[in-house]
Amino acid sequence: GAVVSQHPSRVICKSGTSVKIECRSLDFQATTMFWYRQFPKKSLMLMATSNEGSKATYEQGVEKDKFLINHASLTLSTLTVTSAHPEDSSFYICSASRAGASNQPQHFGDGTRLSIL
Amino acid sequence: KNEVEQSPQNLTAQEGEFITINCSYSVGISALHWLQQHPGGGIVSLFMLSSGKKKHGRLIATINIQEKHSSLHITASHPRDSAVYICAVRSRGYGGATNKLIFGTGTLLAVQP
């Protein structure tokens, strides 16, 4: 079956550093990937839609300069949390679906737990 | 009011019990997903359906498009079924080609041995 790999699974770092999270589709091409943030005991909140070869589409209230998204290939999207602060600590998860057809099931990564000290 | 509502929010069951989780939505949709999230955080897609009923092992998902309602059933529940179950819909208004989802708040299921 389709697999989405997300790396790293856990990051602990100091305030002010930038953190890059990778999302890879391992056995299919994905023109679109999604980045979500999840607070404890809350549902997923869509942050942005990552589009291969073009700019990401950010949801209202999400800072573009804070959360940089790059989707340079059909199998890889990256989310960079720039100058991270403790309030950025959260669980980040990506998803992807196969390119070329609408109404495809989404496949989720295992998530990245980010802790900023 | 959320566009996707789930009930119950929390559910505790004894091993072997039949479990039902409900999802109601208020938007026009092209598909509905049932997802499972374990304590570690990873999410598994259980079903994607746009009509009728699907079955996979002990799991059954149904959807009634006219009533804008879906149910997830677990037969012969087991402690390993303990997880958060999330209903998510792909709204027609968001454009089906992007596969963007709207999520319910989840149902925390605990199955006790």
Side-chain angles (χ1 to χ4, degrees), chain B residues 18-108:
Chain B
F18 180 82
I19 289 165
T20 296
I21 300 171
N22 296 299
C23 176
S24 296
Y25 52 92
S26 57
V27 296
I29 69 168
S30 57
L32 182 144
H33 295 251
W34 279 103
L35 310 170
Q36 181 191 54
Q37 185 172 31
H38 279 281
I43 292 178
V44 174
S45 179
L46 300 174
F47 295 102
M48 185 185 78
L49 63 166
S50 54
S51 65
K53 174 181 175 179
K54 287 190 176 181
K55 184 177 188 293
H56 185 259
R58 295 181 294 106
L59 302 178
I60 302 167
T62 63
I63 187 169
N64 185 316
I65 296 295
Q66 287 72 32
E67 295 185 1
K68 294 187 175 179
H69 181 269
S70 175
S71 293
L72 176 69
H73 305 285
I74 304 175
T75 62
S77 59
H78 190 276
R80 64 175 175 266
D81 297 325
S82 299
V84 175
Y85 292 84
I86 303 169
C87 171
V89 302
R90 185 179 302 118
S91 169
R92 292 187 188 281
Y94 282 62
T98 66
N99 294 325
K100 186 174 173 180
L101 297 177
I102 307 170
F103 294 86
T105 53
T107 295
L108 176 59

Side-chain angles (χ1 to χ4, degrees), chain A residues 32 34 36 38 41-46 49 59 91 93 97-98 101-111 113, chain B residues 30-31 33 35 37 39-45 48 50 86-87 90 94 96-101 103-106:
Chain A
T32 304
F34 300 93
Y36 304 92
Q38 187 177 34
K41 298 187 179 180
K42 298 291 184 183
S43 192
L44 283 75
M45 179 190 77
L46 179 65
T49 303
E59 296 300 301
F91 187 69
I93 192 164
S97 55
R98 291 180 187 275
S102 61
N103 235 21
Q104 288 288 312
Q106 287 209 25
H107 304 281
F108 290 81
D110 286 336
R113 193 161 303 280
Chain B
S30 57
H33 295 251
L35 310 170
Q37 185 172 31
I43 292 178
V44 174
S45 179
M48 185 185 78
S50 54
I86 303 169
C87 171
R90 185 179 302 118
Y94 282 62
T98 66
N99 294 325
K100 186 174 173 180
L101 297 177
F103 294 86
T105 53

Side-chain angles (χ1 to χ4, degrees), chain A residues 12-18 66 83-88 115-117:
Chain A
I12 302 173
C13 59
K14 292 181 179 179
S15 182
T17 57
S18 293
K66 176 73 171 176
S83 188
H85 290 282
E87 58 265 29
D88 298 324
S115 300
I116 308 298
L117 305 177

